[in-house]
Amino acid sequence: MSEETKSELLHPAFLKRLDKLALVARRAVVGKASAERRSKRKGTSVEFADFRNYVAGDDFRHIDWNLYGRLGQLFLRLFVAEEDLDVRIYVDRSKSMLFGNPSKLIYAKKIAAAIAYLGLRRQDRVAMNTFGEAMDLGLPPNRGHARIFRFFSYLDSIDPQGITDFRTTFRKGLPKGRRGAAIVISDFLTPEGYADGLKALAGQSMQVALVQVAAPEEISPARVGDLELIDMETGAKVPVTVTPRILQAYRRTYQAFCEDLRGFARRFQMSYVHAPTDVAFEKLIFDVLQQGGIVWGR
C-alpha cells in the first residue's frame, strides 16, 4: 500500500483500537469452523443464551442443577453457537474514483483494508474483489490474521480503469459461495444505475452494506463561471456556464441522489454509510461505520 495508507492502518495505536471492533452480521450465518461470530443457531459454545425444558435424550451435561435444586424441574442450558462468516469486499476501481484530494479510491482502499483486517482478525473468511466494467475476483476467501499483508498488497495494486457497470458486474460476475456479508465501496455514480446489480447481490442471501465514498468537491462544489466539465470515466467534455443558481440546483440533485441510495438500502435491508473523504479516517471507522450498522464495538 502507499505510505499514506500504511501509516494509518498499521500504526500500533490504530490497530489496538481496531481490535475492539467487529463486523455486524444481523442474519444468522452458517459456517464450519469455530470462530468469533455469533449466530442465531443454538450450539454448545461458551456464551449462555437461554433455557428450555429437558426432554429424554438430551445431553445431561447441560442440565442446570442449581435451577433443579430451586424449582425441582430439569432445564437444559442453551448456548449461542460461534460461527465463521463469509465476508466479500467489493471496491469500485472505475476512473471516477480518482476524483478528489485525497482521491475517493485512496479512501476506499483504506476502508477496505480496515474491514478486511476486522474480518481476518475474527477468523472470518474474507475475499477481496474490485469492479468496474467487469468483476475482478482478486483474492479468494482467506482466513487468518497473517493474511492481512496479502490484502494490503492487492489493494495497493489496484489501478483505476473504465466505467462502473453495476448491472453487468453484479449480475454476471458474482462468485458463488455461502451466506455472509458483502460490503460494496463505491461512489455509485453510473448512468446505468446501481439497483439491478445490488439486487442480484442481495439475492445471494448476502447481508449487504453500502459505503458511498464522496469527495467534498462533488458534494458541494463552489466554482462558478465558464467551465469545461470532463467525464473522468469516458473523457467526454461539456462546456458549461456555472451560476450560483445552478450550483444550488446541483447540490439539491446530489443530495437527492444520496437520499435515493439510502432509501434503496433501507427497502432492501442493506446497511448504508455516506463517507466523505474529508472525514478523518479514524472517525469514519469508529463512529460513522458504527452508526451505519457496519461495525460494532466489542
Side-chain angles (χ1 to χ4, degrees), residues 3-176:
E3 289 303 318
E4 181 181 2
T5 306
K6 286 181 180 178
S7 64
E8 293 194 17
L9 283 177
L10 299 183
H11 191 282
F14 179 88
L15 292 180
K16 185 176 181 179
R17 292 190 65 200
L18 200 59
D19 284 341
K20 298 178 181 179
L21 298 179
L23 299 176
V24 171
R26 288 191 298 271
R27 300 175 184 170
V29 293
V30 179
K32 297 179 181 178
S34 177
E36 296 184 55
R37 178 72 49 198
R38 292 181 296 177
S39 82
K40 297 177 184 176
R41 186 165 67 90
K42 297 298 187 291
T44 55
S45 180
V46 296
E47 185 168 349
F48 171 73
D50 203 353
F51 293 103
R52 69 166 171 80
N53 290 327
Y54 175 85
V55 296
D58 283 337
D59 190 337
F60 66 89
R61 291 175 299 178
H62 301 306
I63 293 174
D64 191 304
W65 295 108
N66 290 329
L67 204 57
Y68 174 76
R70 296 200 306 270
L71 302 178
Q73 291 181 270
L74 294 177
F75 290 92
L76 208 68
R77 293 175 62 86
L78 301 179
F79 297 85
V80 178
E82 301 293 345
E83 304 290 350
D84 64 331
L85 176 69
D86 264 11
V87 178
R88 302 183 202 167
I89 304 170
Y90 298 95
V91 179
D92 185 348
R93 67 166 186 272
S94 64
K95 285 187 176 180
S96 70
M97 295 292 286
L98 282 174
F99 188 71
N101 185 25
S103 73
K104 291 182 286 184
L105 184 59
I106 288 177
Y107 208 63
K109 288 180 179 182
K110 291 181 179 181
I111 297 169
I115 291 173
Y117 178 89
L118 290 177
L120 293 171
R121 181 71 176 81
R122 306 299 173 189
Q123 296 300 313
D124 294 325
R125 290 161 41 89
V126 181
M128 183 75 71
N129 312 289
T130 62
F131 67 95
E133 295 179 80
M135 181 72 69
D136 175 19
L137 305 180
L139 291 178
N142 283 260
R143 180 188 286 115
H145 189 221
R147 302 295 183 93
I148 188 61
F149 294 101
R150 186 180 179 191
F151 280 78
F152 285 3
S153 178
Y154 173 72
L155 286 168
D156 193 40
S157 72
I158 297 173
D159 290 322
Q161 51 185 294
I163 64 174
T164 307
D165 187 341
F166 276 92
R167 183 173 185 177
T168 300
T169 298
F170 285 94
R171 292 186 66 180
K172 298 182 179 179
L174 287 178
K176 303 298 181 183

Side-chain angles (χ1 to χ4, degrees), residues 1 26 56 64 73 91 113 153 179 217-218 227 250 298:
M1 247 183 194
R26 288 191 298 271
D64 191 304
Q73 291 181 270
V91 179
S153 178
R179 291 183 295 168
E217 300 91 335
E218 65 188 3
L227 305 174
Y250 170 86
R298 295 170 61 84

